[in-house]
Amino acid sequence: MKILCVSLWENSWVPYWTKFLNSHGHEVRWIVGNEIKDNAHLKEYQWCDAVLSMWACGLAVDFSNMNEKPLFVIHRSFEVFEDTAYYAQVQNINWENVKQLFMLNESHYPLFEKKVKNVNPIFIKNGIDLDYFPTIEKRSDAKHRVGWICNLNHKKGGINAVHAMFELKKLDPLITFNHVGKIDSKRIYLYINNIMPYQNLIWKNYGYNNSHAFVKNFLKTCRYIFSSSIVEGNPLNILEGMAMGCKPLIHRYPGVEYQFPESYIWTTFDDLRKLYVSDYKPQEYREFVADNYDYRQNYLPVLKVMEDAV
């Protein structure tokens, strides 16, 4: 089967999906963007036997209206929220022409159902390829370093993150907060840079780079992988951090308890402090990912539906 995969941007799952589909004998090409821009995109569409859209986004709208090839859509998280640019696109997709919807977080379905009726999703989990993250060994200076991999915006809980780090600094005066991601919100960025000096907390932004080599080298420098998100689908940054032996510090976003053990989750700052000083178990974190988030297992339900339908 010739599969055209669609993504809003070059996410870290692109090589996972390519490798997975290739391993099952399928050809794969990608379109990155939110709309059909030129004839090259149309030629890719004519080439394929089926389309797998990694988001409920603008290209899913276009392809659902063309309705020449079977279309399968994965819903991730922000598409159901009215404060994003993609909110209207979910309603504009011609769902009668979508063979199957997949969702990563069951807590989002009630919001989705208010907008779109009579569409029954299959719930799936994210997955990663541990071959990209082969070691749990850390640099000698990793002990006090917290890693935060996300774009800086409201969804990722930037203000919450700052005050969480202030709490942890009371326990660990040597703690540093290390951020990889784009600066989406200039307001939050200004706030962080203004307030950090008052607590003498070191915060460094390393810019945006989602290549596995960069992320792997960054995670070697961190003992912890942190999340303050108020909403998530099923975050890869946490899984990749745990695969590299980072202790997860995961804020209680809706649905998190179905994805991670309670022992990895914090609700209050008191919970966070206890989690930070709890036993460090790098092999356990990696084994949890291997047992629950192997891409070769978690992508299979999507592929089976596609193969049965095409």
Side-chain angles (χ1 to χ4, degrees):
M1 182 164 45
K2 292 181 281 191
I3 302 173
L4 179 61
C5 293
V6 173
S7 184
L8 283 172
W9 48 78
E10 290 280 355
N11 296 84
S12 60
W13 63 64
V14 168
Y16 300 155
W17 275 102
T18 301
K19 184 177 179 181
F20 171 76
L21 294 171
N22 287 164
S23 73
H24 286 267
H26 302 297
E27 296 181 61
V28 180
R29 294 182 184 176
W30 287 85
I31 292 178
V32 176
N34 195 37
E35 60 184 353
I36 296 176
K37 291 186 176 180
D38 51 39
N39 287 332
H41 287 174
L42 294 175
K43 288 180 180 178
E44 299 287 28
Y45 184 69
Q46 294 303 322
W47 164 84
C48 74
D49 298 312
V51 177
L52 176 59
S53 181
M54 298 292 166
W55 305 87
C57 62
L59 278 169
V61 175
D62 293 339
F63 291 141
S64 70
N65 289 322
M66 293 169 68
N67 195 31
E68 297 176 20
K69 305 296 176 75
L71 172 63
F72 306 84
V73 175
I74 299 176
H75 178 284
R76 298 197 172 269
S77 66
F78 56 70
E79 299 102 315
V80 295
F81 298 102
E82 65 274 9
D83 59 347
T84 72
Y86 309 100
Y87 179 73
Q89 294 173 353
V90 170
Q91 291 175 306
N92 291 335
I93 292 173
N94 188 339
W95 288 101
E96 290 184 358
N97 295 335
V98 174
K99 292 292 186 182
Q100 183 61 57
L101 169 68
F102 303 92
M103 297 188 80
L104 288 168
N105 190 321
E106 294 187 32
S107 72
H108 299 162
Y109 182 63
L111 293 172
F112 178 89
E113 193 177 27
K114 289 180 179 179
K115 298 171 61 180
V116 181
K117 304 296 183 184
N118 302 317
V119 175
N120 297 314
I122 294 174
F123 296 102
I124 61 172
K125 294 194 294 185
N126 249 330
I128 70 168
D129 183 353
L130 269 74
D131 290 344
Y132 286 103
F133 304 96
T135 180
I136 59 174
E137 295 179 3
K138 299 293 179 185
R139 260 181 21 186
S140 58
D141 60 347
K143 184 177 180 180
H144 305 281
R145 292 171 57 91
V146 176
W148 190 36
I149 303 177
C150 64
N151 292 339
L152 185 62
N153 53 44
H154 175 63
K155 172 193 170 186
K156 299 299 183 179
I159 294 174
N160 198 21
V162 173
H163 291 279
M165 290 304 110
F166 289 167
E167 290 297 316
L168 293 182
K169 188 171 174 62
K170 297 174 184 177
L171 296 175
D172 181 1
L174 299 178
I175 194 172
T176 62
F177 195 29
N178 304 275
H179 175 228
V180 169
K182 296 178 182 177
I183 308 300
D184 287 343
S185 172
K186 297 297 192 295
R187 290 186 181 91
I188 297 175
Y189 183 68
L190 177 62
Y191 175 80
I192 290 176
N193 281 294
N194 177 69
I195 202 169
M196 284 289 187
Y198 288 90
Q199 296 290 333
N200 196 29
L201 178 63
I202 297 174
W203 177 70
K204 184 173 181 181
N205 173 261
Y206 291 84
Y208 176 75
N209 189 327
N210 68 347
S211 74
H212 288 122
F214 179 87
V215 171
K216 178 176 65 176
N217 289 329
F218 173 74
L219 290 170
K220 283 182 181 179
T221 72
C222 299
R223 187 167 184 172
Y224 307 89
I225 185 71
F226 176 81
S227 171
S228 55
S229 296
I230 60 174
V231 174
E232 283 288 357
N234 190 195
L236 280 179
N237 59 330
I238 299 296
L239 300 177
E240 292 171 347
M242 293 175 66
M244 290 285 292
C246 297
K247 178 191 283 190
L249 308 172
I250 311 170
H251 188 45
R252 189 179 294 280
Y253 59 81
V256 67
E257 64 272 17
Y258 303 112
Q259 300 174 352
F260 297 98
E262 285 288 334
S263 57
Y264 300 163
I265 301 168
W266 61 276
T267 305
T268 67
F269 289 153
D270 186 49
D271 298 333
L272 177 61
R273 288 190 294 267
K274 291 176 182 177
L275 180 55
Y276 186 79
V277 299
S278 64
D279 292 342
Y280 174 57
K281 303 174 182 178
Q283 191 61 44
E284 175 188 299
Y285 313 141
R286 183 174 176 84
E287 289 175 359
F288 173 80
V289 174
D291 292 342
N292 295 279
Y293 288 100
D294 186 328
Y295 79 109
R296 293 168 297 185
Q297 297 300 316
N298 292 0
Y299 291 176
L300 273 175
V302 177
L303 180 58
K304 185 178 186 307
V305 170
M306 294 181 69
E307 289 178 336
D308 289 346
V310 177

